[in-house]
């Protein structure tokens, strides 16, 4: 082999070696890789079951949702729902610890894992839904007018509206009170009071013609004094109440939703209906048998 042939042969060998290395690298790049097992995040559902009790954030001063009865026991619609969750988890409605908190603590207590769930008349809003995950709603709230059944100037919303500026509406003082009343009664006079009790006293004393309040609170007051008050028959500013959980745990959220849905439509309906009757005076119709009404 002469010098020229030897150089040519060496060049060919280097080319083949380079090509082989490139193919080997490509083969390694595209070769199947060994799958490594991923550990699934532990759901709060299992954590709660292992702990043996449910921890619920709620309040204690807002009937009929959450308040202390004459014996000092925590009661209300939110409390019934929390006990339903405990019963569904442990077959024991008492296995729940209540963390009493203000409305401003609802989201922080979830994010910091102080509580497992918030059941505290929480209105669903897009802003809050960026911070927590809401369950399906269990109540549709709104405001309305409560008036004296006898001895007052008006007994219906239509009468109040027809009176225009001659009607005076009372409500608990807040920055939105006039705006809320004037959404439905643009001409009515507005009188603000420092508490619901003070507003109720003004209505009883006939210093105001009607009391604007959440409809759930109105129903509760009417149930406490049968025949004394009357609902004006019109509601506005609807909003949904739901429970809230910390984001990122679909197993826990799905389980709570299952319990709530079956309370409203299925196996636990009798208990749910009894709570609605007790706290709101509302008689729920028994869900129809056959095709699920929620999908119709």
């Amino acid at each position: 082999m002469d010098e020229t042939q030897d150089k040519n042969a060496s060049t060919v060998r280097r080319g083949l070696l380079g090509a082989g290395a490139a193919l080997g690298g490509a083969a390694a790049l595209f070769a199947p890789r060994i799958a490594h097992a991923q550990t699934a995040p532990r759901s709060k559902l299992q954590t709660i079951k292992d702990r043996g009790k449910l921890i619920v954030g709620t309040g204690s001063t807002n009937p009929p949702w959450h308040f202390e009865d004459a014996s000092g026991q925590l009661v209300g619609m939110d409390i019934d729902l929390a006990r339903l969750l405990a019963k569904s988890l442990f077959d024991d409605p008492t296995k729940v610890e209540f963390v009493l908190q203000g409305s401003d603590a609802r989201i922080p207590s979830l994010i910091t894992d102080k509580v497992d769930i918030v059941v505290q008349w929480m209105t669903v809003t897009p802003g809050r839904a960026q911070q927590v995950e809401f369950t399906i709603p269990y109540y549709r709230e709104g405001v309305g007018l409560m008036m004296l059944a006898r001895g007052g100037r008006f007994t219906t919303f239509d009468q109040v509206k027809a009176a225009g500026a001659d009607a005076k509406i009372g409500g608990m003082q807040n920055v939105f009170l006039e705006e809320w009343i004037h959404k439905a009664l643009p001409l009515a006079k507005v009188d603000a009071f420092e508490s619901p009790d003070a507003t109720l006293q003004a209505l009883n004393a006939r210093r105001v013609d009607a009391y604007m309040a959440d409809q759930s609170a109105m129903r509760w007051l009417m149930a406490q004094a049968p025949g004394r008050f009357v609902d004006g028959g019109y509601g506005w500013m609807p909003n949904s109440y739901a429970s809230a959980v910390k984001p990122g745990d679909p197993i826990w959220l799905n389980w709570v939703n299952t319990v709530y849905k079956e309370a409203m439509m299925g196996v636990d309906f009798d208990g749910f209906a009894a709570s609605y009757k007790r706290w709101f005076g509302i008689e729920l119709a028994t869900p129809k048998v056959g095709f699920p009404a929620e999908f119709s």
Side-chain angles (χ1 to χ4, degrees):
M1 182 181 294
D2 61 26
E3 185 177 351
T4 300
Q5 290 175 319
D6 185 50
K7 287 180 179 180
N8 290 339
S10 297
T11 300
V12 171
R13 283 196 299 272
R14 287 196 299 271
L16 290 173
L17 288 171
L23 290 171
L29 180 63
F30 294 107
R33 298 187 178 186
I34 298 174
H36 296 282
Q38 298 291 322
T39 302
R42 181 179 175 83
S43 172
K44 188 171 287 292
L45 176 60
Q46 190 60 51
T47 299
I48 295 166
K49 291 174 70 175
D50 291 345
R51 185 200 298 142
K53 67 177 179 181
L54 175 69
I55 302 176
V56 175
T58 194
S60 62
T61 58
N62 297 287
W65 294 100
H66 39 259
F67 65 105
E68 293 182 355
D69 64 13
S71 65
Q73 296 297 308
L74 197 60
V75 296
M77 185 68 196
D78 285 338
I79 308 308
D80 285 356
L81 287 170
R83 295 198 184 282
L84 172 64
L85 293 173
K87 176 179 177 291
S88 301
L89 279 163
F90 307 111
D91 200 25
D92 185 345
T94 69
K95 288 192 174 182
V96 53
E97 175 186 329
F98 292 105
V99 175
L100 303 185
Q101 58 188 14
S103 297
D104 58 348
R106 291 177 296 192
I107 292 177
S109 68
L110 275 177
I111 301 305
T112 59
D113 290 312
K114 185 177 179 180
V115 301
D116 301 319
I117 187 170
V118 167
V119 190
Q120 192 175 357
W121 69 339
M122 194 169 183
T123 299
V124 177
T125 70
R128 289 173 177 169
Q130 296 178 52
Q131 304 174 74
V132 301
E133 291 191 39
F134 284 106
T135 65
I136 57 176
Y138 51 78
Y139 186 81
R140 180 70 31 75
E141 186 62 282
V143 298
L145 297 181
M146 186 174 74
M147 290 160 274
L148 293 173
R150 293 180 297 276
R153 298 175 64 210
F154 313 113
T155 56
T156 70
F157 174 86
D158 289 340
Q159 292 171 349
V160 175
K161 188 171 184 179
D166 191 38
K168 182 182 286 187
I169 312 302
M172 194 172 73
Q173 185 173 11
N174 68 68
V175 295
F176 303 109
L177 180 61
E178 288 198 23
E179 176 188 343
W180 292 350
I181 290 175
H182 287 156
K183 278 180 180 289
L185 301 165
L187 300 178
K189 294 183 177 68
V190 176
D191 203 350
F193 297 88
E194 68 275 10
S195 69
D197 286 346
T199 313
L200 191 61
Q201 289 172 11
L203 177 63
N204 283 322
R206 297 170 178 77
R207 298 199 307 273
V208 297
D209 298 308
Y211 173 5
M212 189 204 77
D214 288 342
Q215 293 199 4
S216 60
M218 288 168 42
R219 293 187 179 106
W220 169 250
L221 291 168
M222 291 167 63
Q224 303 314 297
R228 180 165 184 78
F229 304 109
V230 62
D231 181 347
Y234 176 76
W236 67 100
M237 292 182 60
N239 58 98
S240 300
Y241 285 171
S243 298
V245 299
K246 186 177 180 179
D249 191 342
I251 294 175
W252 174 229
L253 176 62
N254 180 67
W255 184 85
V256 175
N257 278 337
T258 299
V259 174
Y260 282 178
K261 179 175 176 292
E262 293 312 307
M264 288 185 269
M265 305 297 296
V267 293
D268 287 311
F269 174 76
D270 288 347
F272 188 82
S275 292
Y276 254 63
K277 175 64 175 177
R278 180 182 182 186
W279 304 119
F280 311 129
I282 296 175
E283 295 272 5
L284 295 181
T286 301
K288 292 182 179 179
V289 174
F291 188 80
E294 62 269 34
F295 299 117
S296 61

